[in-house]
Amino acid sequence: MTVPGVPALPTQPHPGLRPDPDWFRTEVFYEALLRSFADSDADGVGDFRGLASRLDYLAWLGVDAIWIPPFYPSPMRDGGYDIADYTGVDPRYGTMDDFRALVAAAHERGIRVVIDMVLNHTSDAHPWFQASRRDPDGPYGDFYVWADDDSAYADARIIFVDTEQSNWSYDEVRGQYFWHRFFSHQPDLNYDNPAVVAAVHDVVRFWARTGVDGFRLDAIPYLVEEEGTNCENLPGTHRLIAGLRRMLDQEFPGTITIAEANQWPADVVAYFGSQDAPECTMCFHFPVMPRIFSSLRQGTATAIREVLEATPPIPAHGQWGTFLRNHDELTLEMVTDAERERMYHWYAPQDRMRANVGIRRRLAPLLGDSRAELELAHVLLLSLPGSPCLYYGDEIGMGENIWLPDRDAVRTPMQWDRSANMGFSACTDPAALTLPLIDAAGYADRCVADALADPDSLLHFLRHVLRVRREHPVLGRGDFRLRPASDAALLAHTRADSPVAGGAGGADGEVLLCLANLADRPCEARVELPELAGRATRTVLAAAPSAPPPAVDARGELAVALPPHGYWWLAVTPNREEDR
């Protein structure tokens, strides 16, 4: 079926980029919320030209890929995730030519571009839905999930429990109920209809032809419904994702897909697919993120260890995606009730700080603006399995505005300098800004310009750590192994190239030992590294000037001392006698 509004576009060249199908393994991603990043035309809304004007800054920082959330025409009732036209650009953000120019400019700087693709639902303003509700027997009549009553799929949970009472809503025009797993203004597409599958493939092709390097697939566990199930992670959903991946591999090789599936690792791992039927290239590892925050307050690495130990192996073609914060709330769906109450107590004592089943706060305020904790959290992010994603503004310790509705608390304009509107926009009317500027004490005046001028700033620290990570690609692609430590406060793990028995690393491979003290007290501990007995180490990254790097003794133990919230990355020196 031909889908109106999906024109063919020529393939965009990729200047400045290696044709590497595994490019994503060692990359650091950066989420740039378009409407809040940089405004080029003084209308108060960030846009493509504004983002393009800041690419040199991102390249300087060490960003390898930018992730751009939805920029499609939208009523903006859900931050743009309520899409009214899959193949359009909202005029507030620019034109299709502006988008293509942004992709080309990013590629010239060696930066790849990933965009959001919302497969589960559209806005109720989308022409497909309007046609479906007005003409049930027409070509779009079966594009959505309709029913005469709201009794079906009763075992499916309600996701937005603070705003929705049901997954069904009645439509007065059609005289039937429509299904929605999220907001009631976001009807779910009907993937039992082959025409919907074909239409979505055409949409993905359209954007792939612009030269984008990947798609973040939003809310994919809920694509298919089946009576008697919870309507999550169903076999039909996996077949759909595998079909999309097959099309991309055949027509746009090297284009990745990232699964946003807020599930337990044992369920999420299925979204990588198999060698014979691969699905997503990357999957976000949601459960590890709240455990980092929990461990910082408990002063022990136990929660992080437990979730990593419960994470099953993934196929060779896959990679985890990790993050500390993003444009949504810090989700607490994947924790126990007791853990959730503790997290609320530690990090969201005010009701305004909470949203859905989570916390709507930015990284710096969450951690009490503690420089030591901010450094440690980022060092953990950059050393754990997966490709890390930073959130715009976190590199300068930006604040939040909990008085804004829903998740807008963490989506305020980027603070570039101390000029009007903090350099985000030359707009003369502050009321026209996409969101109000932060006015919280201690955060209102933070900006990139000041951070650039201060060599000891968090920004310069992150740039340094990103450079170190780039020099050690084993942190992105290496074998990961947790190591026993005598103090529960210490998280110890190795990343190793060319793994041999025990994960030690071969003669030509690199082995890094990563240490992190989650406690606010000094930590002295012994780490067990039996297959590395007798090896020396050298410092790659450390929290502060420290003693000479320790060697692994003849028993395979390494004695280490770290300051409160300290960290230490040690490169294990090859044993030349063994390697001959």
Side-chain angles (χ1 to χ4, degrees), residues 286-332:
F286 278 89
V288 75
M289 175 262 303
R291 269 80 185 178
I292 292 175
F293 293 98
S294 179
S295 291
L296 284 169
R297 290 295 167 266
Q298 291 177 316
T300 170
T302 302
I304 302 174
R305 278 185 168 276
E306 288 177 347
V307 74
L308 292 174
E309 288 169 346
T311 300
I314 64 176
H317 64 260
Q319 174 84 323
W320 289 111
T322 55
F323 59 93
L324 295 171
R325 291 298 297 112
N326 61 20
H327 64 283
D328 283 333
E329 69 275 16
L330 191 165
T331 178
L332 299 178

Side-chain angles (χ1 to χ4, degrees), residues 258-296:
I258 306 174
E260 190 228 9
N262 186 7
Q263 311 274 350
W264 286 105
D267 294 320
V268 176
V269 72
Y271 287 97
F272 289 111
S274 64
Q275 184 176 355
D276 295 332
E279 295 181 33
C280 290
T281 322
M282 292 174 55
C283 295
F284 280 125
H285 195 314
F286 278 89
V288 75
M289 175 262 303
R291 269 80 185 178
I292 292 175
F293 293 98
S294 179
S295 291
L296 284 169

Side-chain angles (χ1 to χ4, degrees), residues 122-124 126-133 144 146 171 178 187:
T122 71
S123 165
D124 57 9
H126 196 291
W128 294 350
F129 185 75
Q130 292 301 315
S132 184
R133 67 200 297 244
Y144 297 84
W146 295 96
D171 181 63
F178 64 86

Side-chain angles (χ1 to χ4, degrees), residues 1-20:
M1 169 179 156
T2 300
V3 179
V6 185
L9 286 179
T11 300
Q12 178 84 359
H14 286 54
L17 298 176
R18 303 185 314 277
D20 179 6

Side-chain angles (χ1 to χ4, degrees), residues 157-443:
R157 66 191 174 100
I158 297 172
I159 295 172
F160 288 159
V161 294
D162 56 350
T163 57
E164 301 295 333
Q165 285 74 50
S166 172
N167 288 321
W168 292 98
S169 287
Y170 187 73
D171 181 63
E172 296 283 352
V173 174
R174 179 152 165 161
Q176 284 186 303
Y177 291 86
F178 64 86
W179 176 254
H180 55 87
R181 287 309 303 272
F182 293 90
F183 291 118
S184 56
H185 56 80
Q186 293 171 327
D188 280 22
L189 289 164
N190 176 21
Y191 281 98
D192 289 336
N193 181 353
V196 172
V197 179
V200 166
H201 278 221
D202 280 345
V203 167
V204 173
R205 285 188 181 98
F206 172 85
W207 290 106
R209 291 188 183 110
T210 69
V212 298
D213 303 280
F215 299 88
R216 173 189 172 272
L217 305 182
D218 182 74
I220 61 170
Y222 318 103
L223 300 185
V224 169
E225 300 78 36
E226 184 178 323
E227 198 62 69
T229 74
N230 66 358
C231 297
E232 299 180 19
N233 309 317
L234 297 181
T237 291
H238 288 288
R239 286 193 295 271
L240 288 167
I241 302 302
L244 183 63
R245 171 68 179 270
R246 187 164 53 248
M247 182 274 286
L248 284 171
D249 284 349
Q250 291 171 353
E251 301 180 26
F252 308 95
T255 303
I256 71 167
T257 52
I258 306 174
E260 190 228 9
N262 186 7
Q263 311 274 350
W264 286 105
D267 294 320
V268 176
V269 72
Y271 287 97
F272 289 111
S274 64
Q275 184 176 355
D276 295 332
E279 295 181 33
C280 290
T281 322
M282 292 174 55
C283 295
F284 280 125
H285 195 314
F286 278 89
V288 75
M289 175 262 303
R291 269 80 185 178
I292 292 175
F293 293 98
S294 179
S295 291
L296 284 169
R297 290 295 167 266
Q298 291 177 316
T300 170
T302 302
I304 302 174
R305 278 185 168 276
E306 288 177 347
V307 74
L308 292 174
E309 288 169 346
T311 300
I314 64 176
H317 64 260
Q319 174 84 323
W320 289 111
T322 55
F323 59 93
L324 295 171
R325 291 298 297 112
N326 61 20
H327 64 283
D328 283 333
E329 69 275 16
L330 191 165
T331 178
L332 299 178
E333 286 190 86
M334 296 296 108
V335 300
T336 67
D337 290 344
E339 288 171 329
R340 186 177 304 116
E341 286 307 310
R342 287 197 296 268
M343 289 285 285
Y344 281 145
H345 172 72
W346 289 326
Y347 292 113
Q350 301 178 40
D351 287 343
R352 292 288 309 180
M353 296 175 175
R354 307 176 187 184
N356 301 318
V357 186
I359 298 170
R360 57 194 200 103
R361 304 194 67 193
R362 265 197 179 263
L363 182 62
L366 268 172
L367 297 181
D369 208 25
S370 163
R371 175 63 180 267
E373 291 189 356
L374 286 167
E375 286 192 14
L376 180 59
H378 280 102
V379 168
L380 280 170
L381 176 71
L382 295 170
S383 67
L384 293 178
S387 296
C389 183
L390 309 178
Y391 188 49
Y392 84 98
D394 280 354
E395 71 270 26
I396 59 169
M398 258 181 66
E400 67 210 10
N401 185 346
I402 64 171
W403 304 107
L404 295 176
D406 197 41
R407 291 163 291 186
D408 284 347
V410 300
R411 299 175 180 180
T412 56
M414 181 68 169
Q415 298 173 187
W416 293 102
D417 56 45
R418 290 176 178 260
S419 64
N421 303 318
M422 297 303 291
F424 163 71
S425 173
C427 173
T428 57
D429 180 9
L433 294 178
T434 181
L435 287 171
L437 295 166
I438 294 169
D439 60 5
Y443 293 97

